[in-house]
Amino acid sequence: MNIYDISKLAGVSTATVSRVINGFDNVKPATRDKVLSIMASQGYTPNAFARGLGLNTMNSIGIMCADSSDMYLAKAVYYIERNLREEGYHCILTCTGYNRDSQKEALSSLLSQHVDCIILVGSTFIDKDNKKNKYIYDASDSIPIMLLNASLEHKGIYSILCDDSAAMQEATLNLLDNGRKDILYLFNSYSYSAEKKKSGYRSAFELRKMNCDERYIHYFNGSSQDIEGVYNFISGLAEKGLHFDAVLASDDFLAVGAIKYAIRNGIKIPEDLSIIGYNNSVLTNCCEPELSSVDNHLEVLCQNLVRICIGTLSGQSMAQQTVFRGELVHRKTTINKSNDREE
Amino acid sequence: MNIYDISKLAGVSTATVSRVINGFDNVKPATRDKVLSIMASQGYTPNAFARGLGLNTMNSIGIMCADSSDMYLAKAVYYIERNLREEGYHCILTCTGYNRDSQKEALSSLLSQHVDCIILVGSTFIDKDNKKNKYIYDASDSIPIMLLNASLEHKGIYSILCDDSAAMQEATLNLLDNGRKDILYLFNSYSYSAEKKKSGYRSAFELRKMNCDERYIHYFNGSSQDIEGVYNFISGLAEKGLHFDAVLASDDFLAVGAIKYAIRNGIKIPEDLSIIGYNNSVLTNCCEPELSSVDNHLEVLCQNLVRICIGTLSGQSMAQQTVFRGELVHRKTTINKSNDREE
DNA sequence: TTGTACGCGTTATCAA
DNA sequence: TTGATAACGCGTACAA
């Protein structure tokens, strides 16, 4: 069943059927009704491939993310997909992993699929050595590229992010201003976003004219599922003589490991150990005491990303960089001398 | 740059270029090399839409899931996407939500995109009233439909699932055989899979010639993010006089709520309260004590789903229903008199 | 308001 | 081993 069949049944030309399909108003109402009823009775749907060939688009958008089973990335993908779908686009999801070659391959695969736009979810796709970002710059010559939680300055690249540095600085300041001296900083990635967080931690010390001791900054090289591993990691640091009265983590799961460490060693939270996580995920609610964490308003980020994406695709000129502020959400693992806000 | 341009530059016909592209062997090596080098130098890629129009496929597969930010579904999507990508397919993801009309709409949207196959992730798409599953049966007339964690008997529908009933029965038996009398059963869905779990709970009592008291079966109507809500829910049941010495939950987050209840009320786990969750998610590791949970081997399910999917698409005759067994993973919230296996 | 005819870029069939 | 050409099904100038 194609447009020819419909046109014959309706006794009109394919052009008229096409006009009806695409809602043009220069069709006599009687003709339109007849065509519509025949299309309905035949259950006819225009062939998407033929349409794509002619119009050079199938209204599809590529979403790249390293690991859509990661809680944070999964949420991002979810928000983005829902918003795009409402706008009539469908999403091709590719989980690339963290290997750069796989990521490049996935990108060119999407390009060869002729998607209208590609969204890079998370900063793992950006290289510190800017020359190595050429694969992204090249892609942006053919279609718009959207970056979530990362930033790259280039025509055709649109960055939507939370100021992770400021958010982490705020969290660090909260700890310092509540009398914490030895803040263990845990991170598990060297991505763009992760480095920003770390710089926020450091800058807080500068701001308070304090020395930021590098011995308190530690990289956990393990899976985000392996909370027991985090516990062992922290225990190891303590056994080596490192003393700390606070833990600040670049991800909630690391902070949960710290809570485990405190509970198992009879350390009081938050009196003797304050703990702050990042992402404000469900993990914050599943431990006792509940974890204070930085919320970077992912849903808002995603809504704006889609807004800018759609705007760009419809030819409007949109902001190249859009930055939001994160927010420290206090729960039970921090002392909050100002106001003890509850969720 | 299209196949005509390449053919001109190479001084051959488009047919020959097409043969080279598709790796046919009836091309003179010298010709092939020339065409290949020209394609490479021009950075030529065949137009996917034109190819799709001719072949009536773009090697794309639709994945429907209600909520890809749900931890369990996110993992499923991840495994499926990775496996399909390896086989040369790309995935169109649609997050439908739990509303049936939205789900139907998403399904027909995928059909109109001419995907090669549709995968329904999770049993929320299946209706207890089998007549209402017509939309799935209809779809299966045009392309294969794969069901993860659900089952429907029909030509063109392939079901891959874990025997949730048996797994839940095993978990219940473990509790009963360790002397638990009053097992609170918590669930949060009426899906196919959820009903199977519940029936497993009930059948365990039958097996032990015990009475299954319906007053112990409770539906939590809230978000999986709302662990505090679960805590309140359980507290409410206790305050109303319900006594229980075990909690069995259809999802880990419900079980975590039970752990909170025990901790805050000074109830000893597992001595005075045994708790078992379901899905064996990361939540099992982020609480203290760590949660025993049923693992339904999601990765294996997904691998097999993709295997069967690919087989079907390549014309092979594949199993209509494939069932795996779940497994109770003991951690710190259960007594395991047989063997205390650790992860 | 409607119809004709061509272009979109492939693949596949057939003939050479 | 190669080439000419007809599909594939739609959108759209252009003509009427």
Side-chain angles (χ1 to χ4, degrees), chain A residues 196-262:
Chain A
K196 288 285 180 188
K197 292 176 190 170
K198 209 195 293 170
S199 78
Y201 168 77
R202 289 205 179 98
S203 66
F205 286 89
E206 274 182 46
L207 210 65
R208 289 292 180 267
K209 319 280 189 204
M210 295 171 74
N211 178 42
C212 174
D213 190 337
E214 292 291 320
R215 287 173 306 169
Y216 281 87
I217 301 180
H218 285 278
Y219 173 67
F220 174 71
N221 185 17
S223 155
S224 64
Q225 310 283 306
D226 185 18
I227 290 172
E228 194 67 20
V230 178
Y231 164 78
N232 290 329
F233 184 71
I234 297 174
S235 296
L237 294 175
E239 280 166 19
K240 279 177 196 156
L242 192 74
H243 170 266
F244 47 87
D245 53 15
V247 176
L248 184 56
S250 71
D251 193 294
D252 285 334
F253 84 93
L254 295 167
V256 171
I259 293 180
K260 264 193 193 302
Y261 167 77

Side-chain angles (χ1 to χ4, degrees), chain A residues 11 23 26 74 82 106 141 178 199 221 244 307 315 334 338-339:
Chain A
N26 54 348
R82 295 222 75 164
D141 290 339
N178 280 290
S199 78
N221 185 17
F244 47 87
R307 182 180 58 78
T334 44
S338 44
N339 59 329

Side-chain angles (χ1 to χ4, degrees), chain B residues 279-297:
Chain B
N279 281 351
N280 199 26
S281 68
V282 68
L283 298 190
T284 60
N285 294 310
C286 80
C287 44
E288 278 284 323
E290 281 148 3
L291 178 65
S292 301
S293 183
V294 176
D295 189 327
N296 59 9
H297 301 309

Side-chain angles (χ1 to χ4, degrees), chain A residues 62-66 91-97 102-113 115, chain B residues 59-61 63 77-92 119 306 310:
Chain A
I63 299 182
M64 287 178 54
C65 92
C91 298
I92 299 181
L93 174 69
T94 63
C95 306
T96 63
S102 311
Q103 295 175 341
K104 288 184 184 178
E105 200 179 313
L107 185 74
S108 48
S109 163
L110 284 176
L111 287 175
S112 75
Q113 289 296 322
V115 292
Chain B
N59 292 320
S60 66
I61 287 178
I63 300 182
V77 169
Y78 173 76
Y79 291 133
I80 292 172
E81 196 279 335
R82 294 222 75 163
N83 281 288
L84 281 175
R85 168 157 300 273
E86 271 185 20
E87 300 286 344
Y89 288 88
H90 58 264
C91 297
I92 299 181
I119 300 171
V306 169
I310 299 297

Side-chain angles (χ1 to χ4, degrees), chain A residues 43-95:
Chain A
Y44 165 75
T45 321
N47 182 294
F49 299 145
R51 199 170 211 165
L53 179 57
L55 302 178
N56 203 30
T57 170
M58 274 179 70
N59 293 320
S60 66
I61 286 178
I63 299 182
M64 287 178 54
C65 92
D67 176 0
S68 70
S69 74
D70 173 278
M71 285 169 51
Y72 184 78
L73 298 179
K75 270 193 183 291
V77 168
Y78 173 76
Y79 291 133
I80 292 173
E81 196 278 336
R82 295 222 75 164
N83 281 288
L84 281 176
R85 168 157 299 275
E86 271 185 19
E87 300 287 342
Y89 287 87
H90 58 262
C91 298
I92 299 181
L93 174 69
T94 63
C95 306

Side-chain angles (χ1 to χ4, degrees), chain B residues 35-327:
Chain B
V35 171
L36 282 175
S37 76
I38 288 178
M39 290 200 304
S41 72
Q42 302 292 321
Y44 164 76
T45 321
N47 182 294
F49 299 145
R51 201 169 211 166
L53 179 57
L55 302 177
N56 203 30
T57 170
M58 275 180 66
N59 292 320
S60 66
I61 287 178
I63 300 182
M64 287 177 55
C65 91
D67 176 0
S68 71
S69 74
D70 175 277
M71 285 169 52
Y72 184 78
L73 299 178
K75 269 192 185 290
V77 169
Y78 173 76
Y79 291 133
I80 292 172
E81 196 279 335
R82 294 222 75 163
N83 281 288
L84 281 175
R85 168 157 300 273
E86 271 185 20
E87 300 286 344
Y89 288 88
H90 58 264
C91 297
I92 299 181
L93 174 69
T94 63
C95 307
T96 62
Y98 294 92
N99 172 272
R100 187 51 39 85
D101 286 331
S102 312
Q103 294 175 341
K104 287 185 183 176
E105 200 179 312
L107 185 74
S108 48
S109 163
L110 283 175
L111 288 175
S112 76
Q113 289 296 322
H114 270 271
V115 293
D116 295 349
C117 167
I118 292 178
I119 300 171
L120 305 185
V121 177
S123 56
T124 174
F125 302 99
I126 279 72
D127 210 294
K128 259 172 290 297
D129 179 0
N130 197 30
K131 285 174 194 164
K132 294 191 180 166
N133 292 321
K134 187 171 186 301
Y135 76 110
I136 301 179
Y137 295 129
D138 287 349
S140 75
D141 289 339
S142 26
I143 53 171
I145 305 290
M146 314 293 302
L147 264 35
L148 181 68
N149 282 344
S151 184
L152 236 39
E153 276 193 50
H154 192 270
K155 186 172 180 303
I157 300 185
Y158 300 83
S159 310
I160 290 86
L161 62 160
C162 167
D163 189 341
D164 291 314
S165 177
M168 200 55 109
Q169 188 190 72
E170 182 191 332
T172 312
L173 287 178
N174 179 281
L175 293 172
L176 290 175
D177 294 348
N178 280 290
R180 304 294 145 164
K181 304 283 180 194
D182 304 318
I183 306 174
L184 177 58
Y185 184 84
L186 298 178
F187 67 106
N188 71 322
S189 160
Y190 290 99
S191 69
Y192 173 91
S193 159
E195 293 296 325
K196 287 286 181 186
K197 292 176 191 171
K198 208 193 294 169
S199 78
Y201 168 76
R202 289 205 180 97
S203 67
F205 287 89
E206 274 182 46
L207 211 64
R208 289 292 178 269
K209 319 277 188 204
M210 295 171 73
N211 178 42
C212 174
D213 189 337
E214 292 292 320
R215 287 173 305 168
Y216 281 87
I217 301 180
H218 286 276
Y219 173 68
F220 173 72
N221 184 16
S223 155
S224 64
Q225 309 284 305
D226 185 18
I227 290 171
E228 194 67 20
V230 178
Y231 163 78
N232 289 329
F233 183 71
I234 297 173
S235 296
L237 295 175
E239 279 166 19
K240 278 178 199 156
L242 192 74
H243 169 267
F244 46 87
D245 52 15
V247 176
L248 184 56
S250 72
D251 192 295
D252 285 334
F253 84 94
L254 295 167
V256 171
I259 293 181
K260 265 194 193 302
Y261 167 79
I263 290 177
R264 293 184 185 170
N265 289 282
I267 299 170
K268 277 187 191 163
I269 302 174
E271 295 82 0
D272 298 334
L273 187 67
S274 294
I275 305 174
I276 299 180
Y278 207 102
N279 281 351
N280 199 26
S281 68
V282 68
L283 298 190
T284 60
N285 294 310
C286 80
C287 44
E288 278 284 323
E290 281 148 3
L291 178 65
S292 301
S293 183
V294 176
D295 189 327
N296 59 9
H297 301 309
L298 182 58
E299 186 164 9
V300 175
L301 291 179
C302 292
Q303 283 166 348
N304 277 276
L305 184 145
V306 169
R307 180 180 60 77
I308 292 169
C309 176
I310 299 297
T312 302
L313 289 176
S314 62
Q316 297 171 47
S317 172
M318 306 299 288
Q320 294 269 132
Q321 192 182 59
T322 312
V323 182
F324 290 85
R325 245 199 105 74
E327 172 195 10

